[in-house]
Amino acid sequence: MSLERISSTKVFDGRQEQYRHYSQALDCEMRFAIFLPPLSERMEKTQRFPVLYWLSGLTCTDENFSQKAGAQRMAAELGIVLVIPDTSPRGDDVPDDDGYDLGQGAGFYLNATQDPWKRHYHMYDYVLEELPALVEDNFPVTDRRAIAGHSMGGHGALVLALRNPGRFTSVSAFSPVANPISCPWGEKAFSAYLGTDRSSWEEYDATVLLSRATETQPILVSQGEDDEFLETQLKPGALEAAAEAAGYPVKVEHHAGYDHSYYFIASFIEQHLRFHADYLLKPEG
Amino acid sequence: MSLERISSTKVFDGRQEQYRHYSQALDCEMRFAIFLPPLSERMEKTQRFPVLYWLSGLTCTDENFSQKAGAQRMAAELGIVLVIPDTSPRGDDVPDDDGYDLGQGAGFYLNATQDPWKRHYHMYDYVLEELPALVEDNFPVTDRRAIAGHSMGGHGALVLALRNPGRFTSVSAFSPVANPISCPWGEKAFSAYLGTDRSSWEEYDATVLLSRATETQPILVSQGEDDEFLETQLKPGALEAAAEAAGYPVKVEHHAGYDHSYYFIASFIEQHLRFHADYLLKPEG
């Protein structure tokens, strides 16, 4: 699989880069961003870092988190690689929709089964398998992975982790779409991508998956109380209720006064990175 | 003068806000951003903060620095208000140019004397007098001011400080246009805004002003060595040579591998804020 580097910029002594590659899972050309922490001089040839995958929300590309979250400062300090995929397949040949919440920029981290989406819209497979394989083949990383995201990407992070215990050391989400089968964003997207059989939707709903989980993993959720989508789209209360009913220890933090924007993410990304570092950097065994 | 708040977002326990107002100096409606650090509960009614004015570069609005520099974290910690003006007068009635380096988004922090620019393009007066008066009338700030900027805004910060000793406690610049009378950006803008008499340009050239300075003030300049505009447009060497010839202590730091982007600013904004804090927060007298 060939990777083409399209930008490389020094930041916090590390490098923020963008790459283009052909994705088999998505059947189109894709771009992703990666932050590589500074290598210590002593270990330049052998040093490898664990990876945090960041999944962005509706309308985003790889650039929003890269430019606005301020995550590189702490990732450089802790020694964590950040990998930031795009939010959907892209291109003139890829089906799209006029709405911001369906089609390009709105892949919902699932594998579509319905026309016209089913050829390209396989973000679940892309983020779970293809992108990590590519990253692990081409960059100085270990096979320790954590996953995090915002809004639609918080949904993606929770779903990917809950369906694949052991694949990620830890998962965190800012303002996730926590119960998509019962909110307008989820109902619109899942109807289009997965069809009318609602039982097929449950495999992509963090609240349902958590209530069925047979083993636990570390989960941190941060939610702003002034988030304009809190009640209509995000529904963290459903996730909390399912966790309580299942006896699943999920840490959900509610922050007074914060909204849905990247200013909220910037304010708490250090906490999320330190949370993941506790698991990513723990000695093996 | 009336101020209309158009956004307010919590970040790092403080607030990032945008305001609209009619500017007399620019004869048009303007927008600026302000970051207000969190008030300590004990002092809520009486606490006042010093202000750092941030001047942005070509093509920017108040949003680039606000969203990409990550400055709020340290400003909140140090207790410094950030004020971020736009980079030119704006509006359908304001003259513009097809180039990115002249007209709207490219005010160069000067007072234009030539048609069609002279009616609106008075960013020098706006940043020096009108905006601070507005801020000091409407927000919990002291009359201690520092100034900083990037590229065209680094030029603006240096020029405003050098021409007005005592007005700012300290000045800093990232990648400033340090000698605009002898670079393409400066020659194009100054010809248009100030006319063909080059002696009138010298009042807006940091290198010339520094060589004529009769008193010193604290100056910090940060420059990336991989900056794509280093040799053609920025010319920090001219400023350094003038400082050395004049015996003016200017701290110019060259950083290997960094370019002209906000990733460079994000990497060193903490250092610049701490530099200003040393002067802004010093006990009076």
Side-chain angles (χ1 to χ4, degrees):
Chain A
M1 203 153 15
S2 87
L3 264 185
E4 182 194 354
R5 188 166 74 188
I6 51 182
S7 79
S8 178
T9 307
K10 192 170 180 179
V11 61
F12 287 101
D13 270 335
R15 297 210 76 86
Q16 181 74 30
E17 305 191 325
Q18 289 173 299
Y19 288 85
R20 191 185 290 132
H21 70 109
Y22 185 81
S23 164
Q24 301 276 349
L26 304 172
D27 194 13
C28 66
E29 198 164 78
M30 290 293 285
R31 189 177 76 189
F32 69 90
I34 186 167
F35 171 71
L36 299 161
L39 292 161
S40 62
E41 277 175 39
R42 194 168 54 83
M43 297 180 65
E44 204 156 326
K45 294 279 194 292
T46 57
Q47 195 166 16
R48 291 180 174 272
F49 302 102
V51 182
L52 175 67
Y53 290 85
W54 173 270
L55 306 184
S56 300
L58 288 168
T59 77
C60 289
T61 68
D62 62 297
E63 294 189 334
N64 304 68
F65 180 79
S66 300
Q67 296 177 353
K68 295 183 174 179
Q72 295 91 351
R73 182 182 62 87
M74 193 49 49
E77 184 176 320
L78 296 169
I80 295 173
V81 165
L82 306 173
V83 173
I84 305 120
D86 203 343
T87 52
S88 76
R90 298 277 184 183
D92 294 343
D93 298 335
V94 172
D96 200 3
D97 183 89
D98 287 342
Y100 72 96
D101 51 1
L102 185 67
Q104 295 188 33
F108 274 87
Y109 305 101
L110 50 71
N111 292 331
T113 58
Q114 306 297 305
D115 284 321
W117 313 105
K118 68 184 185 193
R119 176 171 164 197
H120 295 283
Y121 283 74
H122 300 137
M123 287 297 289
Y124 181 87
D125 285 348
Y126 177 69
V127 174
L128 184 66
E129 301 286 355
E130 187 181 18
L131 185 59
L134 189 67
V135 166
E136 289 162 26
D137 277 353
N138 288 279
F139 297 95
V141 300
T142 70
D143 60 359
R144 287 219 168 174
R145 309 167 200 97
I147 192 161
H150 173 234
S151 196
M152 174 183 76
H155 140 76
L158 290 168
V159 164
L160 281 152
L162 287 164
R163 284 179 59 172
N164 301 279
R167 179 77 178 163
F168 303 99
T169 59
S170 43
V171 51
S172 76
F174 288 87
S175 329
V177 183
N179 190 198
I181 64 173
S182 46
C183 80
W185 281 340
E187 288 171 355
K188 177 177 175 179
F190 289 7
S191 298
Y193 294 137
L194 303 173
T196 51
D197 175 9
R198 285 183 166 242
S199 67
S200 71
W201 298 9
E202 297 182 351
E203 285 298 298
Y204 296 108
D205 185 287
T207 295
V208 172
L209 292 168
L210 192 135
S211 71
R212 296 177 182 165
T214 53
E215 51 185 299
T216 66
Q217 48 190 315
I219 302 181
L220 169 64
V221 174
S222 296
Q223 177 62 56
E225 290 184 351
D226 282 9
D227 189 319
E228 55 272 41
F229 301 112
L230 181 59
E231 298 301 333
T232 51
Q233 304 282 8
L234 306 179
K235 302 181 185 275
L239 187 76
E240 289 177 279
E244 193 173 332
Y248 194 125
V250 175
K251 190 170 185 181
V252 182
E253 297 190 339
H254 296 269
H255 296 282
Y258 284 93
D259 70 9
H260 199 66
S261 72
Y262 264 91
Y263 287 121
F264 175 49
I265 299 171
S267 300
F268 294 95
I269 192 69
E270 176 173 339
Q271 181 201 0
H272 280 239
L273 285 163
R274 289 188 184 281
F275 164 78
H276 289 292
D278 280 348
Y279 302 97
L280 281 173
L281 304 173
K282 204 158 54 175
E284 304 250 10
Chain B
M1 201 152 18
S2 85
L3 264 184
E4 181 195 353
R5 187 166 72 189
I6 50 181
S7 78
S8 179
T9 307
K10 192 169 181 181
V11 61
F12 287 101
D13 269 335
R15 297 208 77 86
Q16 181 74 30
E17 305 191 325
Q18 289 174 299
Y19 288 85
R20 191 184 290 131
H21 71 109
Y22 184 81
S23 164
Q24 301 276 349
L26 303 172
D27 195 12
C28 66
E29 198 165 77
M30 290 293 285
R31 188 177 77 188
F32 69 90
I34 186 168
F35 171 72
L36 299 161
L39 292 161
S40 62
E41 277 175 40
R42 194 169 55 82
M43 298 180 65
E44 206 157 325
K45 294 278 193 296
T46 57
Q47 195 166 15
R48 290 180 174 272
F49 302 102
V51 182
L52 174 68
Y53 291 85
W54 173 271
L55 307 184
S56 300
L58 289 167
T59 77
C60 289
T61 68
D62 63 297
E63 294 190 335
N64 305 68
F65 179 79
S66 299
Q67 296 177 352
K68 295 182 176 180
Q72 294 93 350
R73 181 181 63 88
M74 193 49 48
E77 183 176 323
L78 295 168
I80 295 174
V81 165
L82 306 173
V83 173
I84 305 119
D86 203 343
T87 52
S88 77
R90 297 277 184 183
D92 293 344
D93 298 335
V94 171
D96 200 2
D97 183 88
D98 288 340
Y100 73 97
D101 51 0
L102 186 67
Q104 294 189 34
F108 274 87
Y109 305 101
L110 50 71
N111 293 331
T113 58
Q114 306 297 305
D115 284 322
W117 314 104
K118 68 184 184 191
R119 176 171 163 198
H120 295 282
Y121 282 75
H122 299 137
M123 287 297 289
Y124 181 88
D125 285 349
Y126 177 70
V127 174
L128 184 66
E129 302 286 356
E130 188 180 18
L131 185 60
L134 189 69
V135 166
E136 289 162 26
D137 277 353
N138 288 280
F139 297 95
V141 301
T142 70
D143 61 359
R144 287 220 169 173
R145 310 167 200 97
I147 193 162
H150 173 234
S151 195
M152 175 183 75
H155 140 77
L158 291 168
V159 164
L160 280 152
L162 287 164
R163 284 178 59 172
N164 300 280
R167 180 75 178 166
F168 303 99
T169 59
S170 42
V171 52
S172 77
F174 288 86
S175 330
V177 183
N179 191 198
I181 65 174
S182 47
C183 77
W185 281 342
E187 288 171 356
K188 176 177 176 180
F190 289 7
S191 297
Y193 294 138
L194 303 172
T196 50
D197 175 9
R198 286 184 166 241
S199 67
S200 70
W201 298 8
E202 296 182 351
E203 285 297 298
Y204 295 108
D205 185 286
T207 296
V208 172
L209 292 167
L210 190 135
S211 71
R212 295 175 182 167
T214 54
E215 52 185 299
T216 65
Q217 47 190 313
I219 303 180
L220 169 64
V221 174
S222 296
Q223 177 62 58
E225 290 183 352
D226 281 9
D227 189 318
E228 55 272 40
F229 302 112
L230 181 59
E231 298 301 334
T232 51
Q233 304 282 10
L234 307 179
K235 300 180 185 277
L239 187 76
E240 287 178 282
E244 192 173 334
Y248 194 125
V250 176
K251 189 170 184 181
V252 182
E253 297 190 340
H254 296 269
H255 296 283
Y258 285 93
D259 69 10
H260 199 66
S261 72
Y262 264 90
Y263 287 122
F264 176 48
I265 299 171
S267 301
F268 294 95
I269 192 69
E270 175 172 340
Q271 181 202 1
H272 280 237
L273 284 163
R274 289 189 184 281
F275 164 78
H276 290 293
D278 280 348
Y279 303 97
L280 281 173
L281 304 173
K282 203 157 55 174
E284 305 251 11

